[in-house]
């Protein structure tokens, strides 16, 4: 056993002086694939080995869709209040302030107008990092105003959904946003302007029950969670065993609730292709 003993210990670094590997240099996908974070960013936050689409926010989607990442943000200063005086272990205004400080966002959606493949478009993109992308009064109002802007300027509208559903701290006020956004989309349809709905991971709850499924064209990213309620609730309600992956975008597409699933690198081209087809315009490259 002496063969396995080290006689000369050499230079030893005290434990307190050892430095950990800096965090954030690598990303591990659910399938176990590891990728350098810089490489991941260059690949639009998609793992090249297994195609896993990492969740991204409005900053990244705006950069993806708008030419040269140039856009004008709409109604950027709108913030939520607490008219119901919701009481929980952490007061709602405190949670809002904490989320704003952590994310640098005002609320769970940002809206903007800019050019995509050379033509103007209005985009609303949700951020899951802000209280789970929950839909409160500000989210509904910003989407409604973005649709009004699209109607006023005769522009197509793209909604990028990423949400855990209605914001419970706003109770009925949150649920009212389902009706308001749906009514505004009806006005957009009356104006004969295209509405493309992009469902990303996750698109659930009241978001799915309203604007996320009302597009002229409904599309999604691969393996995105798209559902109204969780699988346990659905199972308890139906009393049936559910197939594996029944709430993923591929299953939803197979059963007719989506028009297509596209990898992130192809989204800009596909969205604009659909808009050109709806408006009977020459297809842009």
């Amino acid at each position: 056993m002496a063969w396995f003993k080290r006689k000369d210990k050499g230079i030893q670094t005290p434990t307190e002086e050892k430095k950990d590997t800096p965090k954030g240099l690598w990303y591990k996908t659910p399938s176990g694939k590891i990728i350098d974070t810089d490489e991941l960013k260059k690949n639009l936050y998609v793992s090249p080995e297994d195609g896993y689409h990492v969740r991204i926010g409005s900053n990244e989607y705006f950069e993806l869709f708008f030419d040269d990442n140039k856009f004008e943000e709409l109604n950027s200063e709108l913030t939520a209040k607490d008219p119901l005086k919701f009481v929980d272990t952490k007061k709602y205004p405190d949670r809002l302030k904490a989320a704003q400080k952590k994310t640098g966002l005002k609320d769970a959606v940002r809206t903007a107008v800019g050019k995509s493949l050379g033509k103007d478009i209005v985009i609303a993109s949700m951020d899951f990092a802000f209280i789970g992308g929950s839909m409160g009064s500000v989210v509904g109002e910003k989407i409604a105003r973005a649709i009004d802007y699209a109607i006023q300027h005769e522009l197509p509208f793209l909604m990028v959904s990423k949400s855990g559903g209605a914001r419970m701290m706003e109770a009925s006020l949150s649920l009212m946003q389902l009706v308001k956004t749906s009514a505004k989309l009806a006005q957009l349809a009356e104006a004969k302007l295209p509405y493309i709905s992009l469902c990303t991971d996750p698109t659930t709850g009241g978001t799915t029950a309203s604007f996320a499924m009302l597009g002229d064209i409904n599309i999604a990213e691969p393996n995105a969670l798209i559902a109204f309620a969780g699988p346990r609730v659905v199972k308890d309600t139906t009393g049936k065993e559910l197939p594996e992956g029944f709430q993923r975008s591929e299953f939803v597409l197979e059963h007719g609730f989506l028009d297509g699933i596209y990898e992130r690198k192809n989204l800009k081209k596909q969205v604009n292709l659909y808009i050109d087809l709806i408006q009977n315009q020459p297809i842009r490259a």
Side-chain angles (χ1 to χ4, degrees):
M1 295 299 293
W3 296 346
F4 298 99
K5 293 181 180 179
R6 182 174 181 177
K7 296 180 180 179
D8 183 10
K9 294 184 178 180
I11 299 174
Q12 297 293 308
T13 304
T15 302
E16 63 272 12
E17 294 182 13
K18 291 181 180 179
K19 296 186 180 295
D20 295 329
T21 302
K23 295 181 179 180
L25 296 180
W26 302 93
Y27 182 86
K28 186 176 181 180
T29 70
S31 66
K33 304 298 182 182
I34 298 176
I35 180 175
D36 179 83
T37 51
D38 288 337
E39 189 67 24
L40 187 66
K41 183 177 180 180
K42 292 178 183 177
N43 203 42
L44 302 177
Y45 297 93
V46 178
S47 171
E49 289 195 58
D50 58 10
Y52 178 73
H53 283 55
V54 179
R55 291 177 182 175
I56 57 176
S58 56
N59 280 332
E60 291 77 17
Y61 280 112
F62 284 170
E63 184 176 359
L64 174 67
F65 284 108
F66 288 123
D67 297 342
D68 302 318
N69 198 26
K70 294 180 179 179
F71 58 88
E72 176 189 351
E73 189 163 355
L74 306 173
N75 305 297
S76 60
E77 296 305 314
L78 283 182
T79 56
K81 301 295 183 182
D82 187 22
L84 301 180
K85 305 299 179 185
F86 182 80
V87 178
D88 60 358
T89 53
K90 190 171 185 180
K91 292 183 178 179
Y92 183 39
D94 294 336
R95 288 197 64 181
L96 288 171
K97 290 178 183 177
Q100 290 168 350
K101 182 178 180 181
K102 180 180 179 181
T103 63
L105 303 167
K106 293 292 185 181
D107 213 290
V109 72
R110 292 172 66 208
T111 56
V113 59
K115 293 188 181 297
S116 186
L117 293 184
K119 291 187 177 181
D120 287 330
I121 184 174
V122 177
I123 301 177
S125 180
M126 304 188 75
D127 282 277
F128 193 77
F130 194 98
I131 314 183
S134 52
M135 182 176 58
S137 53
V138 166
V139 170
E141 182 66 17
K142 290 185 74 171
I143 293 173
R145 293 190 187 188
I147 296 171
D148 282 339
Y149 186 97
I151 294 172
Q152 181 181 356
H153 295 85
E154 298 183 342
L155 300 176
F157 178 62
L158 167 65
M159 182 74 224
V160 183
S161 297
K162 186 186 296 287
S163 173
R167 188 173 297 174
M168 61 173 292
M169 290 80 82
E170 295 190 21
S172 58
L173 294 180
S174 178
L175 296 177
M176 288 169 61
Q177 308 314 309
L178 282 72
V179 180
K180 181 164 67 177
T181 53
S182 298
K184 285 297 180 181
L185 287 172
Q187 294 177 4
L188 188 74
E190 289 175 4
K192 301 187 183 303
L193 295 168
Y195 168 42
I196 311 298
S197 175
L198 169 59
C199 300
T200 69
D201 186 56
T203 299
T204 62
T207 300
T208 309
S210 56
F211 53 80
M213 284 296 170
L214 293 177
D216 297 314
I217 300 291
N218 297 323
I219 61 176
E221 291 183 336
N223 201 40
L225 175 64
I226 303 173
F228 176 68
R232 186 174 63 180
V233 175
V234 176
K235 181 180 179 181
D236 291 343
T237 302
T238 62
K240 297 181 179 180
E241 289 294 329
L242 303 166
E244 184 177 353
F246 79 102
Q247 292 181 319
R248 294 293 169 175
S249 53
E250 289 76 11
F251 187 93
V252 178
L253 173 66
E254 183 181 346
H255 289 77
F257 284 88
L258 289 175
D259 298 297
I261 298 174
Y262 301 101
E263 293 186 14
R264 196 167 285 159
K265 63 182 179 181
N266 297 322
L267 283 175
K268 183 176 182 178
K269 179 180 178 181
Q270 286 298 142
V271 166
N272 282 287
L273 172 62
Y274 282 128
I275 291 173
D276 290 341
L277 290 172
I278 292 172
Q279 294 188 317
N280 196 25
Q281 298 290 326
I283 304 301
R284 288 166 283 171

